[in-house]
Amino acid sequence: AIFGEVLGLERVGIDDSFFDLGGHSLLATRVVSRVRSALGVELPVRALFEAPAVADLATYVGGVDGARSALVAVERPTVVPLSFAQRRMWFLNRFEGASASLYNMPVVLRLDGVPDQGALEAALGDVVGRHESLRTVFPEGADGVPFQEIRPAGAGLVSVEVRSATEESLAGLVAEFASRGFDLTCELPLRLALFELAEDSHVLVMVLHHIAGDGWSMAPLARDVATAYEARVGGLAPGWEPLPVQYADYALWQRELLGEESDPESVLSRQVAYWTRTLAGVPEQLELPTDRPRPAVATFGGDSVPVEIGAELHASLAQLARESGASMFMVLQAAFATLLSRLGAGTDIPIGSPIAGRTDEALDGLVGFFVNTLVLRTDVSGDPTFRELIVRVRETDLAAYANQDVPFEHLVEVLNPARSMSRHPLFQVMLVLQNTGETSAELSGLTLTGEGARAESSKFDLTLSVRERYAVDGAPTGLAGVLEFATDLFDRSSAVCLVERFVRLLVGVVASPDVRVGSV
């Protein structure tokens, strides 16, 4: 029942593999959360990889005791603290100034049809009322420590800026709107604009500051906007069920869950010890084949080029992942590390990767900043075969997933790597496999389709971000995405070349997975 619920399937056989049915690491985390709630046991994500069929997992569950405390709504103190991740984001906002837009998250939705602008604005107000994170500001207390000030829900909290545009001017106008900074001490972390192209063609832009949301927040955000709009068009308030918890509850629960670092038995202490061992001696800077020297101070200017991987190669990658007992992400990580190593980055390749951080099912429908960043140190030494490298990556990633609760921001403070204004600490390249679902919906008189916003900044030297696509029958139809690059370091032509080489490498390793990576 849990597999079927998480995977959206009516029937699951006891011998069906979770991953063959479409499971991946994020869904594995949701299975763990459901098992915790239903059975009162704490499974590691590793369990799904080692026992992916229901029959095998049932045996595994029988040998596990206890579970972490559930996330529930609690009575709040007078001063509600920020989460660990929010504190880092707040500090960066104050350090870089309110004009900085590096952590703005634009959501661009094309509306085909004639929108009811009054209903749309009311619906957006409903959504801001539903999610406290969207109506929270972060002033600084008298002691210099920021806190969450949650504004009361009500009319007038948000407004939609309506502007005229043409298809030719749209991209520039959206980029300008999305690049405006936020003063988080007094300004709500959400800004909205509606660009009118024609009577029956509009583009809605929602700019969310990262302190209030993450990539996994976009699905519940879009779903709630759609629900509220349908209700408001009919002259009604949305009749949704109340959320079980709000972000402030999570921030308090996170501190209770992690415990004190001074307690050697606390989750925080144990996981910090793991990362301290794992990242000892990690390269301060990955030597990449840049077009120019790294500047003393990064400008964070960025651009991106498309990545396209065809259906046949996608199917071959999926088959290799199944044969290796690994996920698609793990195979792509092994390939990305191989590419960077072959281009001169050495054999110790730290790769950053986001993880949803929604480790309790109460968070599934909530808009908020839960995502964490893991440093996946990829060992390419000894010239392993590509298949052997996948096994190494699998072990690295499963251990990292078991220690995912330590906020990256806290880890940087503890490990205290050599700081530089020219590079990101602990890693400079990121790999993202998007599995949050694409945004599209049918509303009353409208077709809503998500569109990508143009990348004009880059937090990292390189970010490879792709999404798997499937046919209705579940057949792989390809991967698509972008390679985002820092314009401080790379020309666009070099980024195009990196993508071409990456795809060429994938073709080679799926054809001969026992090839030595040094021979690719």
Side-chain angles (χ1 to χ4, degrees):
I2 291 173
F3 273 24
E5 179 187 351
V6 171
L7 295 169
L9 301 174
E10 292 184 8
R11 292 177 60 86
V12 176
I14 62 170
D15 295 315
D16 290 339
S17 168
F18 174 74
F19 296 100
D20 288 348
L21 294 171
H24 49 69
S25 298
L26 174 58
L27 292 180
T29 300
R30 290 185 175 175
V31 168
V32 168
S33 179
R34 296 290 193 277
V35 168
R36 181 190 304 124
S37 298
L39 305 177
V41 297
E42 191 72 34
L43 280 182
V45 173
R46 175 184 290 274
L48 269 294
F49 285 84
E50 295 181 345
V54 175
D56 297 330
L57 192 61
T59 303
Y60 202 115
V61 167
V64 179
D65 296 317
R68 63 172 55 175
S69 61
L71 169 57
V72 295
V74 296
E75 184 175 347
R76 298 176 187 173
T78 304
V79 177
V80 177
L82 279 63
S83 70
F84 284 97
Q86 282 184 324
R87 284 200 62 166
R88 174 68 172 169
M89 202 58 61
W90 184 89
F91 171 79
L92 290 171
N93 182 257
R94 305 308 298 156
F95 179 74
E96 296 170 359
S99 63
S101 60
L102 189 61
Y103 291 94
N104 286 6
M105 301 176 63
V107 181
V108 182
L109 303 172
R110 185 171 288 268
L111 311 179
D112 292 317
V114 181
D116 182 330
Q117 293 188 19
L120 180 61
E121 188 153 339
L124 292 166
D126 291 330
V127 173
V128 170
R130 178 170 171 77
H131 296 276
E132 288 181 356
S133 59
L134 301 178
R135 48 187 171 89
T136 300
V137 295
F138 305 90
E140 187 174 347
D143 56 359
V145 177
F147 61 93
Q148 295 191 50
E149 181 183 297
I150 302 164
R151 301 278 172 85
L157 261 186
V158 296
S159 60
V160 181
E161 183 180 330
V162 181
R163 301 173 62 180
S164 297
T166 64
E167 289 289 358
E168 292 73 26
S169 66
L170 180 65
L173 291 171
V174 169
E176 182 274 328
F177 183 75
S179 64
R180 293 186 204 165
F182 289 89
D183 183 349
L184 297 176
T185 63
C186 59
E187 187 179 0
L188 292 187
L190 177 67
R191 185 181 303 120
L192 304 147
L194 185 68
F195 293 93
E196 184 174 13
L197 303 170
E199 184 181 0
D200 60 352
S201 181
H202 296 73
V203 171
L204 175 67
V205 182
M206 299 186 285
V207 183
L208 183 65
H209 193 280
H210 205 352
I211 201 169
D214 52 28
W216 284 270
S217 296
M218 297 310 155
L221 179 61
R223 184 172 62 244
D224 286 352
V225 169
T227 300
Y229 180 78
E230 290 284 1
R232 290 298 178 180
V233 165
L236 302 171
W240 44 42
E241 289 292 321
L243 291 165
V245 296
Q246 291 286 349
Y247 193 86
D249 300 310
Y250 164 77
L252 295 167
W253 173 79
Q254 182 191 46
R255 291 170 183 272
E256 178 188 352
L257 171 71
L258 292 177
E260 297 295 331
E261 199 167 346
S262 57
D263 175 7
E265 297 304 313
S266 70
V267 171
L268 184 60
S269 179
R270 293 197 307 270
Q271 293 194 12
V272 164
Y274 163 81
W275 287 110
T276 301
R277 293 191 306 270
T278 299
L279 298 180
V282 72
E284 290 182 1
Q285 179 175 304
L286 203 57
E287 296 305 323
L288 299 171
T290 60
D291 292 300
R292 38 197 166 267
R294 186 181 297 273
V297 179
T299 69
F300 300 108
D303 197 356
S304 63
V305 295
V307 177
E308 285 285 345
I309 294 169
E312 184 177 351
L313 180 53
H314 183 191
S316 297
L317 290 166
Q319 177 62 32
L320 180 56
R322 285 193 297 271
E323 292 172 358
S324 306
S327 66
M328 175 65 71
F329 175 84
M330 294 170 184
V331 174
L332 294 175
Q333 180 189 335
F336 195 33
T338 298
L339 175 70
L340 298 177
S341 180
R342 295 287 287 117
L343 294 176
T347 58
D348 188 353
I349 312 289
I351 297 174
S353 185
I355 191 163
R358 293 173 185 255
T359 55
D360 191 287
E361 62 181 335
L363 301 175
D364 286 356
L366 196 60
V367 173
F369 185 16
F370 306 103
V371 69
N372 197 11
T373 302
L374 301 180
V375 186
L376 305 176
R377 190 175 186 180
T378 316
D379 177 13
V380 193
S381 65
D383 199 19
T385 67
F386 188 71
R387 198 188 301 272
E388 289 169 345
L389 183 57
I390 293 174
V391 173
R392 290 185 187 180
V393 165
R394 179 181 181 274
E395 288 306 303
T396 294
D397 291 5
L398 291 179
Y401 298 156
N403 292 276
Q404 64 173 282
D405 299 299
V406 177
F408 176 78
E409 296 75 19
H410 182 72
L411 196 59
V412 172
E413 291 178 11
V414 171
L415 298 182
N416 195 26
R419 304 300 178 93
S420 170
M421 299 290 286
S422 69
R423 63 172 183 264
H424 191 268
L426 298 180
F427 68 90
Q428 291 84 48
V429 300
M430 176 166 273
L431 176 63
V432 184
L433 179 59
Q434 300 281 2
N435 43 33
T436 56
E438 298 189 66
T439 304
S440 62
E442 292 287 337
L443 306 180
S444 296
L446 291 176
T447 299
L448 179 152
T449 308
E451 296 189 350
R454 188 173 70 197
E456 294 191 331
S457 62
S458 180
K459 303 180 191 71
F460 312 107
D461 295 356
L462 294 170
T463 300
L464 177 61
S465 177
V466 294
R467 181 189 299 276
E468 293 186 86
R469 298 180 298 198
Y470 294 93
V472 176
D473 63 1
T477 59
L479 294 97
V482 295
L483 178 68
E484 186 181 284
F485 60 95
T487 50
D488 284 345
L489 304 175
F490 296 97
D491 294 329
R492 185 178 182 85
S493 58
S494 297
V496 170
C497 183
L498 283 171
V499 171
E500 291 172 347
R501 289 175 170 177
F502 183 64
V503 175
R504 188 180 306 137
L505 185 149
L506 290 175
V507 171
V509 296
V510 297
S512 303
D514 294 310
V515 66
R516 298 281 174 186
V517 295
S519 307
V520 172

